[in-house]
Amino acid sequence: RFPALDLAYEALRRGGTAPAVLNASNEVAVAAFLAGQLRFVAITELIARTLDAHTVQPTDELETVIEADRWAREQAQTLLARGLGRP
């Protein structure tokens, strides 16, 4: 019923860099929705696909989290460019 909440719990279960990836891909997805580039119902699909493509790393270093954020934004933009969730 609340797929985005399920994704958040999944990111917490995966741990490491997964929550950073979830956050970054969510920001990209919401911005795309607000710009009319993504259907509302596709927000969670974009986040899920980005999370699924990510290899979780331990968050021992801040640089690892920053890199995961950068990677997730790039990955989400790539999925958008391929036409995922277009209105």
Side-chain angles (χ1 to χ4, degrees):
R1 190 164 186 181
F2 298 101
L5 185 58
D6 291 338
L7 288 173
Y9 285 131
E10 178 62 26
L12 287 173
R13 275 191 293 277
R14 291 181 188 184
T17 51
V21 168
L22 175 122
N23 181 68
S25 59
N26 180 64
E27 288 182 7
V28 170
V30 170
F33 166 71
L34 293 173
Q37 300 168 338
L38 184 69
R39 291 176 293 115
F40 180 78
V41 296
I43 290 173
T44 54
E45 181 181 2
L46 180 63
I47 297 166
R49 286 194 184 192
T50 304
L51 269 173
D52 287 344
H54 180 64
T55 302
V56 175
Q57 302 293 318
T59 54
D60 299 338
E61 302 285 332
L62 178 59
E63 279 301 314
T64 304
V65 177
I66 292 169
E67 174 57 22
D69 181 275
R70 185 208 58 75
W71 176 88
R73 290 172 192 279
E74 185 178 288
Q75 178 69 16
Q77 289 292 348
T78 297
L79 292 169
L80 285 170
R82 290 182 183 160
L84 186 136
R86 281 198 182 130

